[in-house]
Amino acid sequence: MEPPRRLALELPGCALAHFAVGGPDPGLRPEPRAAALLGPGGRGYLLCAGRAPGGGCAARVRAARGLQRLLLGLRGGPLRGCRLRPLLCYGPGGADPVQRGFLLLDPGHGPGTRRALCALLGEAPGGPRLGELVGDARRQVWQRLWEPRGGEGWRQVGPCARVVSVPEPALHPVLPDLPSSAVFPHRRAARAVLEACVPFIPEAQAVLDLVDQCPEQVQKGKFPVIVIEGLDATGKTTVTQSVSDSLKAALLKSPPACISQWRKIFDDEPTIIRRAFYSLGNYIVASEIAKESIKSPVIVDRYWHSTATYAIATEVTGGLQHLPPAHHSIYHWPRDLLKPDLVLLLTVSPEERMRRIQGRGMERTREETELEANSIFRQKVEMSYQRMENPGCLVVDASPSREEVLQMVLSIIQNNCN
């Protein structure tokens, strides 16, 4: 008998709790962590995106967009008073694709909540099932499973199943999924995602056309290539421009100008699409680096490390302790992407960064807005930066004056590059 799939739920405080539906003898003592699923409300609903058949790229994209539509529906109408927590559904062996979803908590025990959820999910045969969680007097949690009847409403399927706590896996369950959904190891993987998007995002074809104009393998010229990374408001723009002027170097930026006009479109899409867009932007930049580094040094404002760190911090739920460990392959540079000679990571204190942000008023991406509101997310981005390998990041304190930071950066470049 196949073991039940498991659930990883992000609790308040960024802790992760792991559960399974259908477990030991109901006569056993209840497990306290299982009761943490529902909190004081005592009722909740499990909603997961459908599994992508065969793990194909087009199926993954459809599942991701379907989950995004579900999230919009959950945040409005009669369900807006409910609380949502991120949820992952995974196989115990880690081989099956991870399903993403939500636990919806109904603090008011409203009789219309399940009806509203069923209406939102629809009644198409073979559509998503709805797991209704209820607690009993012994603090045990049970799931009632509901499924659509093909235009005839919804019905309960089978008996109630007990929800039990399970051991936390050694690595976060989303890690095996990241190379095909967020941190793409090569150009071909990211390209396949945007190919699947062409029917509903016309700009995806324009991006693909630009990528196809770039050779698949490019070589760096004789001049050094220096990438400058950092969170928003750490001084990247100022430093990259100043260093470029001082070294008479070409200044490039990722994503490149030729696709930046479509950032807003892709930023509004699910992670798999958004990250594929930024990943392919890096390959366009690599082609520009190859041309410019023949003639002069090259300074690059963000590159692959930004793409990877934000994806890791977004997709790996929970706190810092749940990030991939140091030296994990997810931190390795893509094998077909031109490498820089040096990567500098500018850092400032959280207080100084907030002070700088308040004086800017610039439009920011979803992740940059999250950096301000969520200190755990910011710490996960910073930790991921510091764990990058081959090449790693050399950390630079960007708190001093502009002139001091510039001199420090120039000295590091002189000591590390010809």
Side-chain angles (χ1 to χ4, degrees):
M1 181 176 176
E2 182 183 356
R5 285 176 67 80
R6 298 180 176 184
L7 306 170
L9 176 70
E10 186 168 14
L11 300 175
C14 293
L16 286 184
H18 296 264
F19 305 92
V21 178
D25 184 341
L28 297 178
R29 292 180 59 192
E31 300 179 57
R33 288 184 67 82
L37 269 170
L38 303 181
R43 187 177 299 269
Y45 298 89
L46 297 175
L47 303 104
C48 285
R51 298 169 76 170
C57 206
R60 284 176 174 271
V61 167
R62 284 196 301 272
R65 297 192 98 218
L67 187 66
Q68 187 178 61
R69 288 192 297 271
L70 174 61
L71 177 59
L72 292 174
L74 293 171
R75 284 177 170 167
L79 300 170
R80 61 179 175 272
C82 298
R83 298 195 306 273
L84 286 174
R85 291 181 183 169
L87 185 73
L88 295 171
C89 182
Y90 62 98
D96 295 334
V98 170
Q99 295 169 256
R100 290 162 174 81
F102 308 100
L103 171 65
L104 182 140
L105 297 174
D106 181 16
H109 287 206
T113 300
R114 177 158 50 83
R115 290 196 298 269
L117 282 171
C118 292
L120 178 64
L121 295 174
E123 297 183 1
R129 291 179 169 186
L130 178 65
E132 181 181 8
L133 303 183
V134 293
D136 64 16
R138 301 177 60 196
R139 290 182 58 79
Q140 296 182 109
V141 180
W142 301 82
Q143 175 183 263
R144 299 186 188 122
L145 191 61
W146 300 82
E147 70 176 12
R149 292 186 296 180
E152 299 179 14
W154 285 63
R155 66 180 177 187
Q156 186 175 340
V157 184
C160 289
R162 188 177 179 220
V163 179
V164 298
S165 299
V166 297
E168 182 171 337
L171 295 175
H172 195 286
V174 83
L175 286 189
D177 221 36
L178 287 183
S180 56
S181 64
V183 188
F184 301 103
H186 44 73
R187 168 172 157 173
R188 187 175 65 257
R191 195 185 193 289
V193 173
L194 284 208
E195 284 178 345
C197 297
V198 169
F200 50 86
I201 306 178
E203 293 80 4
Q205 185 60 61
V207 175
L208 291 171
D209 290 342
L210 289 169
V211 171
D212 290 343
Q213 295 173 21
C214 304
E216 291 203 8
Q217 294 291 337
V218 292
Q219 298 295 323
K220 189 181 75 68
K222 64 179 181 179
F223 287 94
V225 176
I226 298 98
V227 174
I228 298 180
E229 295 274 6
L231 304 185
D232 197 38
T234 53
K236 273 190 302 66
T237 301
T238 301
V239 171
T240 52
Q241 186 62 63
S242 299
V243 172
S244 174
D245 293 342
S246 298
L247 298 180
K248 296 182 173 54
L251 177 57
L252 302 176
K253 187 173 183 178
S254 185
C258 61
I259 66 170
S260 289
Q261 60 186 312
W262 301 310
R263 281 185 70 173
K264 180 65 171 66
I265 293 170
F266 288 94
D267 280 343
D268 288 340
E269 292 292 334
T271 293
I272 185 172
I273 300 173
R274 188 165 68 252
R275 288 298 147 209
F277 168 76
Y278 283 105
S279 294
L280 292 177
N282 289 327
Y283 286 92
I284 297 174
V285 171
S287 182
E288 296 175 355
I289 291 172
K291 295 174 185 175
E292 296 296 335
S293 60
I294 296 172
K295 303 175 289 184
S296 70
V298 178
I299 307 299
V300 188
D301 183 347
R302 288 187 170 173
Y303 197 22
W304 181 80
H305 283 164
S306 285
T307 309
T309 54
Y310 280 86
I312 293 168
T314 300
E315 294 299 286
V316 177
T317 52
L320 281 172
Q321 71 274 23
H322 296 107
L323 284 175
H327 311 303
H328 190 279
S329 60
I330 204 69
Y331 298 120
H332 294 178
W333 193 267
R335 57 181 178 263
D336 60 346
L337 182 63
L338 185 149
K339 287 184 185 178
D341 296 286
L342 181 65
V343 180
L344 303 180
L345 174 62
L346 304 184
T347 63
V348 297
S349 69
E351 297 76 19
E352 172 63 15
R353 204 177 68 83
M354 287 303 299
R355 186 186 67 78
R356 295 179 181 184
I357 284 174
Q358 289 169 359
R360 290 175 60 172
M362 295 175 62
E363 185 176 353
R364 292 182 290 277
T365 65
R366 183 187 311 175
E367 284 92 356
E368 288 165 341
T369 302
E370 182 77 0
L371 286 173
E372 298 173 37
N374 187 335
S375 64
I376 298 297
F377 178 73
R378 173 180 53 77
Q379 293 172 45
K380 289 198 292 186
V381 172
E382 291 174 333
M383 180 70 76
S384 298
Y385 264 128
Q386 293 170 22
R387 289 182 178 176
M388 291 293 158
E389 292 184 352
N390 192 29
C393 295
L394 202 161
V395 178
V396 177
D397 179 9
S399 300
S401 68
R402 181 182 307 179
E403 292 74 19
E404 290 176 282
V405 174
L406 174 60
Q407 291 308 313
M408 193 186 319
V409 169
L410 291 174
S411 176
I412 292 171
I413 292 173
Q414 184 177 13
N415 292 333
N416 287 272
C417 302
N418 293 326

